[in-house]
Amino acid sequence: MTKSIRFNGIGITNGKVSGRIKLFGSSKRKIINSRTGSALDEKARLEIARKAAIKETKALEEKALKLLGEKEAQIFEIHGMLLEDEDFLDAVLEEIDKGKSAEEAVRQTAKSYGEMLKALDDEYLSARSADINDISAQIIRFLTGDVAENEENDTEPYILVASDLTPSETVKLETSKILGFVTFGGTPSSHTAILARAMGIPALVGTGTIGSIYDGEYALLNSEKGTLIISPTENEKREFEKEQSAYNKIAKEHEMYLRSIMKKPAVTRSGHKIMIYANIGSEQEIASAISNGAEGIGLLRSEFLYLSKDKYPSEDELFSAYRDIAIKMQGKRVVIRTLDIGADKQIPYFSLPKEENPALGYRAIRICLDRHELFKTQLRAILRASAYGRISIMLPMIISAEEIREAKSLLRDSMAELSTRGQEFDAKIELGIMIETPSAAIMSDILAKEVDFFSVGTNDLTQYTLAVDRQNPKVTHLCERNTEPVMRLIKIASEAIHHKGGWIGVCGEMAADLSLTQQFANIGIDELSVSVPYLLGVRGKVSECK
Ligand code: PEP
Ligand code: MG
């Protein structure tokens, strides 16, 4: 039995699953394990594929040199050298002599080389292990020719492994087939992680590169421990199964307890009531939000509807989606956040300019206040849907009262347009803003005069307060250790909006952090809005608070 391969990352949802790995973006190739031809035939096939790979790499190197520069082209130079490496080639030939097919021999050799290099615990050599994986996948691609399986042909559920997924790629995934989720990059507050959380599936981010050579391998994903074990030994499998059944038993008991308190309001022991709302991205999540006791929708990330399309949705399309959500929520509050695109949420048909610092750039309300028709189309759709339920409008990324006033002026224009058309809407629709920037929190006494409510987006508020990129796994730990500055800003905002008679919620990922629930209660937070799988846990925690 060969040694298993272990990757460590940050677990973002609890759970343990096992299954085959599917590398996102790499169409699965059929690897022929038992060969049909002689060793000589296999060696000849290997030579043709290797030569083709060398030629391709040379072309890529030249292209990279022309388009990107010397440094970027260097990687292909290294690949070229590895493809010519005699030791590697001899090892593959040896495997063929042992009876393996050419592709299986390449795969096996790459695996052994990768393990050996990884075990040396040297950053440079570890990186070479990723290169070995790359060139092996390249040779295998030439060996297997065009036998790529169609993604839709996957019938078995799998553990999805990806370098990183953009939010638009994530929303297009066929989630019913995904057992678990692993990304090389990403952080707990990146949108990929948020979506994984919403799906309620075990997930791991920030594992570092996992070579394409592992595509199709059996693996154990433990998001509690933050590990992915590829090709586990029998012992590891047994151990995992034991842990898995113990975990499932506890999780089931805990859920039964939480379900027993589901109907009770979430009130602290000192009598402070906190509304428990759900964060959702689409209508499909409503049924599970309700069955998990959501008292409302605290954040509808409305951009996801745009992300899943190839062109701008029309007012009617948006209206019918919002109306359906309002109707399904049966009079419970639905907070629709207006378009928050830009930064990591890019939509091709928006053709947003490439920016040096997208998180500080042209995004969210900044785009909407610049592109009036885009914004008013969404506002009219929300207003029309407000005739069917209890809808609130929430503006993201606000930094000043001026922005709110501009947005309100466009809202008034949209209302006037609907009145001219004779269409109904709630003229007293509630308007709120997200507190996502230090500026919004510091100026909250002024901003509170303009709106009915605040909802704190702790993901961005943390990023901008601590100057910690929410997409960068190297600095994530700084967020866990430094919640206090963010809490202080939330307290300022809470006092400001309460002084004016409004309400305040928290809808960033911190809302689901049970170690902070007591602090939220202490500063008078009125509502906590979390992904569906966290609804019951947060409700239970509030009732345990002082
Ligand atoms: C936030 O920033 O905390 C938030 C809820 O918005 P998003 O995660 O979509 O940026
Ligand atoms: Mg945000």
Side-chain angles (χ1 to χ4, degrees):
M1 169 61 61
T2 51
K3 212 173 150 298
S4 57
I5 327 287
R6 177 183 287 257
F7 288 90
N8 295 311
I10 309 167
I12 50 170
T13 43
N14 284 342
K16 300 169 207 293
V17 287
S18 56
R20 303 232 159 252
I21 283 181
K22 181 174 169 61
L23 237 103
F24 181 76
S26 78
S27 46
K28 213 151 116 206
R29 308 275 155 183
K30 277 200 182 98
I31 299 219
I32 301 148
N33 292 316
S34 54
R35 72 170 196 226
T36 44
S38 67
L40 226 54
D41 291 340
E42 293 302 303
K43 285 178 187 174
R45 287 181 64 230
L46 174 73
E47 200 42 25
I48 293 166
R50 199 175 65 94
K51 287 268 160 62
I54 292 171
K55 198 167 155 205
E56 184 181 66
T57 305
K58 201 88 224 114
L60 285 171
E61 187 187 341
E62 277 163 23
K63 195 170 167 194
L65 201 60
K66 229 187 270 162
L67 297 176
L68 305 166
E70 217 166 290
K71 198 159 161 275
E72 284 73 14
Q74 220 175 31
I75 182 81
F76 298 109
E77 195 186 335
I78 295 172
H79 283 189
M81 274 155 47
L82 290 171
L83 282 163
E84 308 255 18
D85 187 275
E86 301 239 319
D87 290 341
F88 181 73
L89 182 59
D90 285 346
V92 179
L93 295 175
E94 217 173 283
E95 291 294 332
I96 293 178
D97 282 332
K98 283 187 204 159
K100 296 212 168 79
S101 66
E103 42 272 64
E104 184 55 20
V106 172
R107 189 162 95 129
Q108 190 55 54
T109 310
K111 222 168 136 185
S112 321
Y113 261 63
E115 283 159 27
M116 190 183 73
L117 291 171
K118 260 188 133 221
L120 296 176
D121 207 18
D122 175 297
E123 210 175 306
Y124 177 79
L125 292 174
S126 274
R128 294 296 72 77
S129 121
D131 294 330
I132 295 264
N133 281 328
D134 279 353
I135 62 133
S136 307
Q138 198 183 3
I139 301 175
I140 291 170
R141 189 157 49 76
F142 281 111
L143 279 167
T144 49
D146 240 347
V147 290
E149 277 178 28
N150 195 328
E151 300 220 347
E152 277 87 61
N153 288 346
D154 283 302
T155 46
E156 289 290 305
Y158 48 80
I159 297 173
L160 185 85
V161 175
S163 145
D164 204 355
L165 290 165
T166 63
S168 61
E169 283 167 341
T170 316
V171 292
K172 286 178 189 160
L173 290 174
E174 167 59 286
T175 51
S176 62
K177 288 186 190 152
I178 301 174
L179 292 167
F181 209 88
V182 180
T183 58
F184 307 172
T187 67
S189 66
S190 60
H191 283 98
T192 312
I194 289 171
L195 287 164
R197 229 173 254 134
M199 293 173 206
I201 56 173
L204 209 61
V205 297
T207 54
T209 306
I210 298 175
S212 51
I213 202 77
Y214 299 120
D215 194 19
E217 291 272 344
Y218 183 77
L220 310 173
L221 168 61
N222 183 337
S223 56
E224 246 188 328
K225 284 189 181 163
T227 56
L228 178 76
I229 302 178
I230 303 179
S231 310
T233 61
E234 286 307 316
N235 260 348
E236 284 168 330
K237 273 195 216 166
R238 262 196 304 277
E239 188 60 25
F240 182 84
E241 277 160 20
K242 243 199 297 176
E243 283 178 8
Q244 195 177 32
S245 66
Y247 172 84
N248 289 345
K249 191 164 169 264
I250 294 172
K252 214 166 164 189
E253 281 166 10
H254 190 57
E255 191 175 334
M256 267 161 65
Y257 157 70
L258 292 172
R259 290 215 170 268
S260 72
I261 59 165
M262 197 177 91
K263 291 270 181 284
K264 294 190 193 138
V267 183
T268 64
R269 283 186 271 151
S270 58
H272 177 59
K273 161 99 180 93
I274 298 186
M275 301 296 286
I276 309 295
Y277 284 4
N279 291 347
I280 61 166
S282 71
E283 187 201 327
Q284 283 78 37
E285 289 171 82
I286 298 259
S288 56
I290 291 176
S291 69
N292 281 279
E295 295 167 276
I297 302 300
L299 171 64
L300 170 67
R301 285 186 165 94
S302 71
E303 55 280 1
F304 287 164
L305 196 75
Y306 291 74
L307 281 162
S308 59
K309 297 242 179 294
D310 298 324
K311 60 179 183 4
Y312 291 101
S314 67
E315 180 186 315
D316 280 347
E317 270 178 276
L318 294 169
F319 159 64
S320 93
Y322 302 153
R323 178 200 52 202
D324 292 352
I325 292 172
I327 291 173
K328 283 189 177 164
M329 286 307 290
Q330 300 175 354
K332 294 192 172 94
R333 187 187 269 131
V334 176
V335 179
I336 303 183
R337 171 175 73 189
T338 59
L339 252 185
D340 181 14
I341 50 150
D344 64 321
K345 284 178 278 192
Q346 291 293 330
I347 306 178
Y349 61 83
F350 270 73
S351 304
L352 296 176
K354 200 156 171 34
E355 295 178 296
E356 281 291 314
N357 295 300
L360 304 180
Y362 191 58
R363 60 170 292 197
I365 195 72
R366 298 168 185 185
I367 298 175
C368 289
L369 294 181
D370 187 36
R371 295 175 61 176
H372 291 181
E373 251 334 297
L374 170 77
F375 192 32
K376 284 200 297 173
T377 302
Q378 187 182 31
L379 290 176
R380 285 191 303 265
I382 299 174
L383 284 168
R384 283 169 61 190
S386 70
Y388 294 82
R390 185 179 174 198
I391 287 184
S392 310
I393 297 176
M394 178 158 77
L395 310 171
M397 275 294 286
I398 291 290
I399 59 167
S400 70
E402 192 51 43
E403 287 170 333
I404 305 174
R405 284 187 211 118
E406 274 181 49
K408 277 162 98 172
S409 153
L410 292 165
L411 183 62
R412 277 194 299 274
D413 291 351
S414 308
M415 287 181 175
E417 283 158 16
L418 292 182
S419 298
T420 312
R421 286 191 208 159
Q423 282 170 321
E424 280 185 25
F425 59 88
D426 173 7
K428 292 206 170 74
I429 194 164
E430 214 181 23
L431 180 71
I433 57 165
M434 293 194 72
I435 302 288
E436 291 183 292
T437 63
S439 173
I442 293 162
M443 301 301 288
S444 54
D445 55 333
I446 308 290
L447 306 190
K449 293 184 186 142
E450 301 287 339
V451 293
D452 304 301
F453 69 94
F454 289 160
S455 183
V456 186
T458 55
N459 307 331
D460 278 317
L461 187 59
T462 302
Q463 148 162 280
Y464 298 127
T465 304
L466 304 181
V468 169
D469 180 356
R470 67 190 272 192
Q471 297 292 110
N472 185 344
K474 279 224 171 321
V475 288
T476 301
H477 61 283
L478 294 170
C479 301
E480 283 145 29
R481 281 187 222 141
N482 293 294
T483 51
E484 180 60 21
V486 179
M487 277 295 176
R488 287 189 186 198
L489 288 176
I490 301 177
K491 187 163 182 278
I492 293 172
S494 175
E495 283 166 4
I497 194 79
H498 285 138
H499 184 69
K500 186 242 158 168
W503 62 273
I504 183 167
V506 177
C507 63
E509 299 307 295
M510 272 167 75
D513 183 341
L514 302 186
S515 69
L516 301 173
T517 317
Q518 180 69 62
Q519 288 184 59
F520 287 136
N522 293 349
I523 57 178
I525 294 300
D526 302 293
E527 172 250 18
L528 289 170
S529 192
V530 298
S531 304
V532 170
Y534 293 88
L535 284 166
L536 288 173
V538 173
R539 176 178 294 279
K541 186 67 191 180
V542 168
S543 58
E544 287 166 15
C545 283
K546 284 188 265 173

